[in-house]
Amino acid sequence: MKLTTQRTDPDLVRQVTILAAIIASIVINTISNFFPPDGVDMATLSDRLFPSVQILPANYAFAIWAPIYLGLIAFGIYQAQPTQRHNPSLQRGGYLLVFACISQCAWIYLFLARLFPLSVVAMLGILLPLIVLYQRLEIGQHHVSPTEQWFIQIPISIYLGWITVAIVVNAALALYSINWDGWGITPAIWAVITIVVSAAITTLVTIEHHDPAYLLVIIWALIAIGIRHLDTPLITVTAAVAAIFLILLSVDAPKPVGKDS
């Protein structure tokens, strides 16, 4: 009797793994917010330990996690459809989003455990796969169908945009936690430097990708930083000028070229 084996489609495995990773990251994030260790959630922990870190945005800014997770759910469900199993864009993305989701889970508990320098390493584990995924998807560089834009590109753009901001804030908190003296530079000046560098990086991304979703996330964060530090005009004015500059840039940025996919 001849035995036959049926080979599992690797694209199907990828689809299931991505969806599972997204769901797991959302569940773990939800649990950490409702049942945090010592009863202290991330926002409260930041407010208690880092009141003088002047790059922190206002607490309302973290509401962006709602659209991030809604976008990831939409991405996960869309990419899991049989019709998307052999989508070339999703195939190029591979398991990069899975790595980002795993690192997201690790970051949550490292931060809550107050292992702030290690949490920066975990944040890099989110950022780097998202950057590679962003490049492989060629977001903003070519016209795509509205469906692919809303269910593939925009969720990744929003996620990457916020992690771009979050890693800067996380690094500042980690440095503060180890009593770094800032080389004698005041926290307000460091905040200004960080805002200017962030705006410069966003400018480069916008020119290359013309990605409104990514750009709006950065603008959202800059406004929140300015609002939180209204008592420090230097920071507020710098954040406002950077936000206005990026808004104007979004109007004049080059449009993507190429055929619809």
Side-chain angles (χ1 to χ4, degrees), residues 96 124 126-137 156 160 164 209:
L96 289 165
L124 282 171
I126 308 170
L127 179 67
L128 296 179
L130 287 179
I131 290 174
V132 178
L133 179 58
Y134 190 83
Q135 293 292 339
R136 288 188 182 180
L137 293 176
I156 300 303
L160 176 60
T164 302
H209 292 272

Side-chain angles (χ1 to χ4, degrees), residues 54-55 168 188-202 218 221-223 225-226 229 234-243 246:
Q54 296 191 309
I55 196 62
V168 173
I189 296 299
W190 271 117
V192 168
I193 292 171
T194 302
I195 290 169
V196 171
V197 172
S198 298
I201 293 172
T202 304
I218 305 301
L222 289 173
I223 292 172
I225 290 170
H229 302 287
L234 180 62
I235 296 176
T236 299
V237 171
T238 303
V241 170
L246 292 177

Side-chain angles (χ1 to χ4, degrees), residues 167-221:
I167 194 167
V168 173
V169 174
N170 202 163
L173 301 184
L175 290 170
Y176 182 88
S177 73
I178 61 174
N179 299 314
W180 183 57
D181 66 0
W183 295 325
I185 300 174
T186 65
I189 296 299
W190 271 117
V192 168
I193 292 171
T194 302
I195 290 169
V196 171
V197 172
S198 298
I201 293 172
T202 304
T203 299
L204 295 176
V205 173
T206 301
I207 291 173
E208 181 179 356
H209 292 272
H210 185 70
D211 184 1
Y214 180 91
L215 183 62
L216 287 173
V217 172
I218 305 301
I219 292 170
W220 166 270

Side-chain angles (χ1 to χ4, degrees), residues 68-132:
I68 287 173
Y69 279 133
L70 285 174
L72 289 178
I73 290 170
F75 180 99
I77 294 173
Y78 179 76
Q79 65 85 38
Q81 295 180 71
T83 56
Q84 298 303 313
R85 187 161 301 161
H86 304 298
N87 182 322
S89 294
L90 295 171
Q91 287 176 322
R92 288 195 301 271
Y95 289 87
L96 289 165
L97 185 57
V98 174
F99 300 144
C101 288
I102 292 172
S103 297
Q104 176 76 37
C105 296
W107 176 84
I108 289 170
Y109 284 102
L110 286 170
F111 192 88
L112 290 174
R114 308 186 186 194
L115 300 172
F116 302 114
L118 286 177
S119 73
V120 176
V121 177
M123 187 70 75
L124 282 171
I126 308 170
L127 179 67
L128 296 179
L130 287 179
I131 290 174
V132 178

Side-chain angles (χ1 to χ4, degrees), residues 26 29 60-73 158 162:
I26 294 173
N29 182 67
Y60 78 82
F62 297 96
I64 198 170
W65 279 109
I68 287 173
Y69 279 133
L70 285 174
L72 289 178
I73 290 170
I158 295 174
W162 183 251

Side-chain angles (χ1 to χ4, degrees), residues 10-21:
D11 287 315
L12 174 60
V13 174
R14 171 180 48 78
Q15 286 179 303
V16 173
T17 305
I18 289 173
L19 183 58

